[in-house]
Amino acid sequence: MPDLVFKELNAKGTAFRALFVILAGLFLIGLGAAYYMEHSGHWVTGMTNQVVWGMPHVFAVFLIVAASGALNVASISSVFGKSIYKPIAPLSALLALALLAGGLAVLVLDLGRPDRLIVAMSHFNFKSIFAANIILYTGFFGIVLVYLWFMMDRRLKYKSSGPGTFAFIWRLVLTTGTGSIFGFLAAREAYSSAVMAPLFIAMSLAFGTAIFILVLLTVCAIDKRPLGTVLTERLRVLLAVFVAATAYLALLQHVTAAYWAGRVEVVAFVLLNGGIYTFLFWGVQMGLGTVFPLALTLVPRLRSHATLAFASVLVVLGGLAQTYVIIIGGQAWPLTLFPGYEVESSFYDGIVQSYAPSLPEILLGIGGFALALLIVAFGMAILRFLPVTLADAQIDPHAKKRLMESEEAVETA
Amino acid sequence: MSENCLSPTRRGLLKAAAGSAALLAPGVFLLAAPSPSKARPDDTATDSSVRWGLLVDTNRCDQECTACVDACKEEMGLIGKGRPATDAQYIRKVELAEPKTGFTRSLPMMCQHCSNPPCADVCPTGASFKRADGIVLVDRHICIGCRYCMMACPYKARSFAHEKLEDQAANNPRGKGCVEACTLCAHRVDAGIVPACVEACHAKGRGAMLFGDLQNPEHAITQVVAQYPTSQIRADLKTDPGVRYHGI
């Protein structure tokens, strides 16, 4: 590989500035929404004593899970030795940090007492998977920062496989921890399953890769950096594999639950008669977010940067739907306190809980996305995260030769 | 169920509970029993030689009666804002109906004060905790309002303070943005008085609630639980609740 020249983004470009202003605006709106919810109290949101985690948690979990997956590209280059990914590895690590920051910001701003963040950082109940996650998240920042330093320092870049491997293992544990937040909830029929951990790992790979692809395509477009197809072809295949794995584990989650006599009803609720949740599962998560992207990425005739971008957007939408079905759908299903009885109370026992996301919750979630992308934009404007060109000849010296060979083969045929 | 059609079980239950006079008189359980009537001095820590618990005789619980719920609201200063989805409820009446047989029951449901409380297990800061005497509480100084305990509680027993609180009861300082639940009236128990719900059940209801130390063989609750079948809600989860039910 030729020695690539890395360069900061042109922060004076109109497109960059416009994007930066939009993102900053969305972030500020998100902050305003959080202030409104905290000031008024959570009764102004759609969240209740029945559905205690709402839209902020959908966004936060999505972003945190995606953060882990965004590090894929760096892991593949450092851990699995695929040097072709090296030029885009630093951006992948930056995106991972940014997405985690965005997700955690949403999570923290939705706390009943966000002012007590220091309490969360100083009082640990080590029996709690939540407390373990606080350590995993903060550790992730430290480890990925060191890993980034190794990748970006000329003297250290050849030794980055060590920190890269550590970061790779850490992020698998991190996603396991995030999945276990739900997996360990023994009382709730929709959760309490060991499948949640591998499911969340697969989700992270798919969502993180999709967002990485979108960021890479956007940055190259607005900063006019050539982008060949050698890298995007590989990312396309990766995305397809991860989307398929996520769908497989999502189905496995329901199949294993359906096999358990007491959980048939909650499976039927999500898959057959759950109204919005059934629609989101089949229509958005499985249809728009799985089948469509698989077609767009696997059908040879459809291969292009535009379809790859479109497929990635669909994976993100499908991922948000999947997270919504898991988090909100799981709470909407009532707890079974008295098996065999029909129950009724003033506290909504025994009925499917309703939840209507409020605008401030959605704005806070979007604010988290905006914060993540702002960090990426800011980071790329001040540091050299990406080469000036990702043209095929620069990335892979043999690309041209291979292309000519394949053209000759076609002509001969 | 009328007073004239007592089941044999119920008759035995009444006898075992240190006599029917004790059962029907308001708030006498604690007073009748030796240990709980002693107030715990403020400078003394709770200890595990006591395990406070409740027994609910669902045979006696009247569907129309909300004395326990009303008393709880008054004692704990739970002033609703007319928003049932977000207003706090420490105790609620649950109506059960078995669809195949038509069998119905009414019972109060509150924090079950588990020996192995899932809420305390999942709480990241340790704000949800169990006292040595079995009472499960929320330390509102370190609750960050993450609501993970509400996700984990198998009994749906917790509420989140969704809005600004006014006219709070002195014995139940609440905080907007914190999680809260039945405290088994720890402030009363520490002063040697039975929980407000139990007192009201005996004063205004049909005396369906029995309070005492589940580890003290002299307490009526311990004797009844030892002699008669009682249920733990979601016993499969092995939370070992301090609240037991008879008649379901």
Side-chain angles (χ1 to χ4, degrees), chain B:
Chain B
M1 188 187 294
S2 81
E3 284 291 325
N4 297 329
C5 55
L6 295 176
S7 67
T9 311
R10 173 132 166 261
R11 286 186 194 282
L13 186 72
L14 297 178
K15 276 185 200 165
S20 57
L23 257 179
L24 296 171
V28 297
F29 283 113
L30 195 56
L31 301 172
S35 172
S37 60
K38 219 165 83 183
R40 183 174 62 81
D42 286 345
D43 58 351
T44 318
T46 56
D47 72 86
S48 57
S49 63
V50 180
R51 169 85 200 276
W52 294 122
L54 275 177
L55 174 64
V56 178
D57 181 359
T58 62
N59 295 321
R60 292 182 74 91
C61 186
D62 194 339
Q63 188 178 353
E64 305 302 321
C65 178
T66 56
C68 55
V69 176
D70 301 338
C72 176
K73 281 183 183 165
E74 192 176 336
E75 179 73 22
M76 303 308 250
L78 303 181
I79 303 161
K81 302 264 182 173
R83 291 188 265 267
T86 50
D87 282 346
Q89 291 196 37
Y90 292 2
I91 182 170
R92 63 190 188 271
K93 287 293 297 292
V94 178
E95 314 305 329
L96 309 184
E98 200 190 329
K100 285 181 186 166
T101 61
F103 175 84
T104 59
R105 272 294 175 270
S106 181
L107 52 85
M109 191 73 209
M110 72 298 276
C111 172
Q112 301 287 291
H113 299 280
C114 314
S115 268
N116 309 307
C119 56
D121 285 348
V122 303
C123 177
T125 64
S128 289
F129 69 103
K130 186 186 67 172
R131 287 198 339 186
D133 60 5
I135 298 180
V136 175
L137 298 172
V138 179
D139 180 346
R140 292 185 184 110
H141 293 290
I142 56 170
C143 173
I144 57 171
C146 71
R147 287 103 78 198
Y148 195 20
C149 56
M150 298 176 76
M151 291 289 280
C153 175
Y155 307 104
K156 208 160 159 301
R158 296 198 150 195
S159 292
F160 180 68
H162 280 83
E163 48 201 306
K164 197 177 168 192
L165 303 155
E166 287 143 1
D167 299 328
Q168 298 195 39
N171 49 45
N172 184 38
R174 307 166 66 197
K176 184 178 87 174
C178 290
V179 174
E180 50 192 16
C182 158
T183 65
L184 206 60
C185 279
H187 61 286
R188 290 170 64 107
V189 173
D190 288 345
I193 312 169
V194 291
C197 56
V198 178
E199 189 179 87
C201 185
H202 284 269
K204 298 176 189 166
R206 298 172 62 187
M209 296 171 96
L210 190 58
F211 173 80
D213 175 7
L214 284 163
Q215 290 178 167
N216 189 333
E218 290 177 20
H219 280 204
I221 187 170
T222 315
Q223 293 163 9
V224 176
V225 168
Q227 260 186 295
Y228 294 94
T230 56
S231 322
Q232 305 173 18
I233 311 298
R234 290 301 309 260
D236 57 315
L237 296 173
K238 295 189 167 49
T239 56
D240 186 19
V243 181
R244 303 288 184 96
Y245 291 84
H246 175 74
I248 51 165

Side-chain angles (χ1 to χ4, degrees), chain A residues 8-51:
Chain A
E8 300 89 345
L9 279 188
N10 175 19
K12 291 177 182 166
T14 318
F16 178 87
R17 284 188 172 181
L19 195 65
F20 201 88
V21 168
I22 291 170
L23 290 174
L26 289 173
F27 174 57
L28 289 175
I29 290 171
L31 274 183
Y35 175 77
Y36 169 68
M37 289 188 283
E38 293 303 332
H39 186 71
S40 318
H42 273 63
W43 76 276
V44 297
T45 71
M47 290 176 273
T48 60
N49 283 327
Q50 287 69 46
V51 177

Side-chain angles (χ1 to χ4, degrees), chain A residues 305-367:
Chain A
H305 283 173
T307 53
L308 181 61
F310 187 46
S312 300
V313 169
L314 292 176
V315 171
V316 170
L317 289 177
L320 283 167
Q322 181 172 11
T323 319
Y324 190 95
V325 171
I326 290 174
I327 295 181
I328 313 288
Q331 294 174 85
W333 186 249
L335 286 167
T336 306
L337 268 60
F338 301 95
Y341 286 101
E342 284 173 354
V343 296
E344 197 185 318
S345 82
S346 59
F347 210 48
Y348 305 90
D349 282 280
I351 55 168
V352 171
Q353 315 295 338
S354 60
Y355 169 75
S358 65
L359 184 63
E361 290 174 79
I362 297 168
L363 293 177
L364 172 60
I366 292 171

Side-chain angles (χ1 to χ4, degrees), chain A residues 73-308:
Chain A
V73 167
S75 296
I76 295 168
S77 81
S78 301
V79 183
F80 300 102
K82 302 283 182 195
S83 56
I84 200 159
Y85 288 93
K86 277 213 160 70
I88 49 174
L91 174 61
S92 125
L94 172 67
L95 181 62
L97 289 173
L99 289 172
L100 186 63
L104 289 181
V106 175
L107 203 61
V108 167
L109 288 170
D110 178 72
L111 289 176
R113 295 298 302 261
D115 53 313
R116 289 185 180 165
L117 183 60
I118 191 70
V119 175
M121 308 293 280
S122 55
H123 288 65
F124 287 104
N125 167 24
F126 288 104
K127 224 176 166 186
S128 165
I129 188 72
F130 229 43
N133 278 337
I134 293 170
I135 296 167
L136 287 168
Y137 297 152
T138 43
F140 186 80
F141 279 119
I143 291 161
V144 176
L145 273 173
V146 171
Y147 178 32
L148 247 182
W149 182 14
F150 269 72
M151 282 195 286
M152 296 178 75
D153 189 323
R154 277 181 177 276
R155 293 163 301 174
L156 297 171
K157 68 190 325 182
Y158 300 105
K159 296 175 185 168
S160 61
S161 71
T165 306
F166 192 46
F168 174 69
I169 294 168
W170 192 274
R171 79 184 172 91
L172 289 183
V173 178
L174 182 146
T175 326
T176 303
T178 311
S180 300
I181 288 176
F182 301 95
F184 285 7
L185 291 174
R188 293 198 181 253
E189 291 167 14
Y191 305 134
S192 179
S193 166
V195 180
M196 297 309 270
L199 170 66
F200 270 58
I201 291 177
M203 285 160 66
S204 84
L205 299 174
F207 307 166
T209 304
I211 296 184
F212 179 81
I213 290 169
L214 288 171
V215 167
L216 182 68
L217 291 173
T218 308
V219 168
C220 289
I222 65 168
D223 213 47
K224 299 189 175 53
R225 298 192 185 196
L227 176 64
T229 54
V230 169
L231 274 174
T232 50
E233 278 301 286
R234 283 169 183 256
L235 290 172
R236 182 181 57 76
V237 177
L238 272 182
L239 184 65
V241 170
F242 295 150
V243 166
T246 305
Y248 171 72
L249 283 164
L251 288 172
L252 195 64
Q253 175 201 359
H254 293 294
V255 171
T256 49
Y259 202 71
W260 193 338
R263 294 195 176 182
V264 172
E265 287 176 333
V266 69
V267 174
F269 174 68
V270 174
L271 302 186
L272 299 173
N273 50 30
I276 181 70
Y277 307 106
T278 304
F279 166 74
L280 287 174
F281 181 85
W282 290 115
V284 186
Q285 176 185 337
M286 284 301 178
L288 276 182
T290 304
V291 177
F292 257 51
L294 282 178
L296 288 169
T297 48
L298 293 178
V299 176
R301 268 187 310 169
L302 298 175
R303 284 177 196 171
S304 73
H305 283 173
T307 53
L308 181 61

